[in-house]
């Protein structure tokens, strides 16, 4: 190509004033460090979950499909029928666990909601004192608190004597929740222990949720001629639903796997699935069955929780 026909280079394009200026290498490195900080802060929590949650779960999953004995040793044989055998043998204990924990959760909600409402809106200067009284049982061992109920519900205790005097135990005995003139070693005793021990787990989330309700909403409802009951039904209770859901979950989930109350306050007829798992692990030494029961319980509770949370419809938890 001749010089006459060669294209003439045009002027260099001007830089776009709207385009961001290139960052120096030091600024890029600092920006990468800032972006990495949140992930570095998560490392401790992730490591904790991996070591104390994921690793035990994997180990238990492996144990649940093993066969053998303590003398010969256990080997992974992918024996999945252990799950069905375990459920078929102990499904009554699963039902009792869900029924007892469900009743205890309802009782905790019925007792805890009025108390949390009173603390949030009516306690005034006594609010902190009442909250301390709610939390105070946590300063005592769970085992000691449960043993105290053995004394409260003993056959010769004043409470049982009073219940016999007013013939209330005749009614509960006819309903099948007590036996004759005694309360100990009956379903009622187990439910009482569960309700008492897990009641603070219900009250605290309810109080936290109710405390955030703006009192001016109550005044506005009153200005619109709403009765106190209508105000509660239309304003207070819907706004406290996150606390209701959180409280019921914090009560139902640990109560379902509890075994101390059933062991100390119940009899062999009131054994919950937690008692069976504890016995299989520590007494019978049938580790595959115990691990399978643990996974079945976890799956059942997870399914119930997912359905319940979606039905509750709380935006903070769904």
């Amino acid at each position: 190509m001749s010089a006459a026909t060669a294209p003439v280079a045009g002027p260099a394009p001007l830089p776009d004033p709207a385009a961001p200026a290139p960052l120096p290498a030091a600024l890029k490195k600092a920006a990468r460090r800032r972006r990495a900080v949140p992930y570095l802060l998560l490392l401790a929590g992730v490591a904790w979950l991996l070591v104390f949650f994921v690793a035990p779960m994997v180990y238990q999953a492996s144990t649940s499909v093993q066969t053998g004995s303590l003398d010969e040793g256990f080997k992974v044989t992918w024996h999945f029928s252990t799950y069905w055998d375990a459920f078929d043998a102990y499904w009554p204990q699963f039902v009792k666990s869900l029924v007892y924990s469900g009743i205890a959760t309802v009782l905790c909600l019925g007792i805890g909601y009025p108390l949390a409402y009173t603390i949030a809106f009516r306690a005034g200067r006594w609010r902190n004192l009442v909250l301390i009284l709610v939390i105070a049982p946590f300063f005592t061992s769970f085992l000691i608190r449960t043993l105290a109920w053995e004394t409260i519900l003993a056959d010769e205790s004043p409470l049982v004597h009073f219940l016999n005097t007013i013939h209330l135990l005749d009614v509960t005995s006819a309903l099948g929740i007590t036996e004759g003139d005694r309360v100990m070693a009956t379903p009622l005793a187990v439910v009482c222990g569960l309700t008492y021990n897990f009641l603070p787990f219900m009250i605290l989330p309810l109080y936290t949720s109710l405390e955030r309700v703006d009192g001016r909403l109550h005044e506005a409802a009153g200005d619109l001629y709403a009765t106190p009951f209508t105000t509660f039904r239309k304003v207070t209770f819907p706004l406290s639903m996150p606390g209701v859901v959180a409280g019921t979950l914090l009560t139902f989930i640990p109560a379902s796997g509890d075994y101390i109350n059933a062991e100390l306050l119940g009899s062999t007829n009131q054994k919950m699935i937690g008692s069976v798992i504890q016995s299989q692990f520590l007494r019978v030494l049938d580790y595959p069955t115990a691990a399978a029961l643990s996974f079945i319980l976890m799956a059942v509770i997870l399914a119930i929780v997912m359905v319940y949370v979606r039905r509750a419809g709380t935006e903070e938890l769904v």
Side-chain angles (χ1 to χ4, degrees):
M1 181 180 295
S2 64
T5 59
V8 179
L14 296 175
D16 186 2
L23 293 175
L27 292 179
K28 290 182 179 179
K29 189 175 182 181
R32 285 196 298 268
R33 286 180 179 176
R34 284 195 297 270
R35 288 194 296 267
V37 167
Y39 300 99
L40 294 175
L41 293 175
L42 286 174
L43 284 179
V46 172
W48 178 276
L49 289 176
L50 289 174
V51 174
F52 294 104
F53 182 75
V54 177
M57 289 280 289
V58 173
Y59 176 76
Q60 290 301 320
S62 171
T63 302
S64 67
V65 293
Q66 293 178 0
T67 55
S69 64
L70 193 63
D71 297 330
E72 300 174 358
F74 293 95
K75 296 181 180 179
V76 177
T77 57
W78 305 106
H79 192 257
F80 289 101
S81 62
T82 303
Y83 283 86
W84 172 253
D85 295 338
F87 182 77
D88 185 54
Y90 299 107
W91 68 266
Q93 283 75 24
F94 274 106
V95 174
K96 288 178 182 177
S97 297
L98 297 178
V99 171
Y100 292 166
S101 56
I103 294 173
T105 301
V106 172
L107 290 175
C108 285
L109 180 60
I111 298 171
Y113 200 102
L115 181 56
Y117 184 94
T118 302
I119 297 173
F121 299 117
R122 298 289 186 269
R125 61 176 181 175
W126 302 102
R127 176 180 299 180
N128 293 334
L129 176 61
V130 179
L131 284 174
I132 292 174
L133 294 177
V134 170
I135 302 172
F138 286 129
F139 294 97
T140 307
S141 167
F142 187 93
L143 182 62
I144 294 176
R145 298 201 307 267
T146 308
L147 287 172
W149 274 91
E150 283 191 338
T151 304
I152 296 172
L153 301 178
D155 296 343
E156 65 278 1
S157 69
L159 175 61
V160 175
H161 178 72
F162 172 74
L163 295 177
N164 277 314
T165 302
I166 63 175
H167 300 287
L168 182 60
L169 292 184
D170 295 336
V171 178
T172 57
S173 181
L175 295 174
I177 58 178
T178 58
E179 297 177 2
D181 58 352
R182 64 193 317 264
V183 179
M184 277 296 297
T186 64
L188 180 60
V190 177
V191 171
C192 286
L194 291 172
T195 303
Y196 169 76
N197 282 308
F198 293 105
L199 183 59
F201 292 96
M202 179 68 74
I203 295 175
L204 295 179
L206 286 173
Y207 165 73
T208 303
S209 184
L210 287 168
E211 188 188 27
R212 291 185 295 181
V213 177
D214 193 342
R216 291 174 296 182
L217 295 175
H218 296 164
E219 297 177 1
D223 292 340
L224 295 173
Y225 304 103
T227 63
F229 178 75
T230 303
T231 301
F232 172 80
R233 184 168 59 90
K234 294 289 188 179
V235 178
T236 307
F237 188 76
L239 291 176
S240 66
M241 273 303 296
V244 172
V245 174
T248 50
L249 293 181
L250 288 175
T251 303
F252 178 78
I253 293 174
S256 299
D258 180 74
Y259 68 92
I260 294 178
N261 288 277
E263 286 288 326
L264 298 180
L265 303 178
S267 65
T268 55
N269 295 326
Q270 286 82 46
K271 270 196 172 185
M272 298 172 66
I273 194 61
S275 303
V276 176
I277 295 173
Q278 185 261 358
S279 177
Q280 292 289 327
F281 263 123
L282 302 180
R283 299 178 188 173
V284 183
L285 305 180
D286 187 355
Y287 301 140
T289 299
L293 288 172
S294 301
F295 271 92
I296 294 172
L297 177 63
M298 182 178 64
V300 170
I301 292 177
L302 183 61
I304 293 174
V305 168
M306 290 179 64
V307 172
Y308 171 68
V309 170
R310 290 193 176 275
R311 289 289 184 182
T314 53
E315 296 179 358
E316 297 185 18
L317 295 172
V318 175

